[in-house]
Amino acid sequence: MKSFRDKAILFMATGGWVGYAPVAPGTFGSIAALPLCLLLASVDIGVAVALVIGLIVLSVWTAHMAARRMGQSDPKQVVIDEICGMAVALLGHPFSPLCVLAGFALFRGFDILKPFPIRWVDRNVSGGWGIVLDDIIAGVCANALLHMGIFLLN
């Protein structure tokens, strides 16, 4: 029987059980991040950055604890890393349909294809940081490209 703490960790790590989707749990985890991204877009950028940093710290610990409980190094059901990555991808951008769709597509592309340095981090960093950091970098890359795209379109 799992303790309340174990259940709470797994609930958070799987994005409220979204990570148990039978197909594309990472994609569903990224979608599950959108209400958080809406909240972040509605507050001052300083507050949003502080919230994202706090989320990352919590996610590293949660992902590490969930992976240990699941007996795997990076369980596909753990999607809190995708939630963090999407939050980073859309941080500082308006929550408009175009920005959300572009940010989502860019983030998922970087997360799936894992170009350097994302692939290197995915293969060489372990534990909670290993689970979360590659998604943070994918989010940073998506955010930067989104900023460049908006700049070029204006």
Side-chain angles (χ1 to χ4, degrees), residues 33-106:
L34 294 179
L36 170 64
C37 295
L38 175 61
L39 171 71
L40 293 172
S42 69
V43 299
D44 179 72
I45 188 65
V47 173
V49 168
L51 289 171
V52 169
I53 291 169
L55 174 65
I56 291 168
V57 170
L58 176 66
S59 297
V60 167
W61 178 82
T62 303
H64 178 75
M65 298 304 287
R68 283 181 43 194
R69 283 161 173 73
M70 297 169 108
Q72 300 173 38
S73 61
D74 189 356
K76 65 180 182 175
Q77 298 89 352
V78 172
V79 296
I80 198 165
D81 51 332
E82 276 82 12
I83 293 169
C84 284
M86 273 301 297
V88 170
L90 295 178
L91 184 64
H93 291 289
F95 195 83
S96 67
L98 183 59
C99 277
V100 170
L101 287 172
F104 177 83
L106 288 167

Side-chain angles (χ1 to χ4, degrees), residues 119-144:
R119 183 177 309 272
W120 186 91
V121 169
D122 185 55
R123 291 180 177 170
N124 294 288
V125 181
S126 61
W129 277 111
I131 295 169
V132 177
L133 189 57
D134 63 312
D135 293 274
I136 299 306
I137 297 170
V140 168
C141 293
N143 190 300

Side-chain angles (χ1 to χ4, degrees), residues 18-25 28 76:
V18 169
Y20 288 101
V23 294
F28 282 102
K76 65 180 182 175

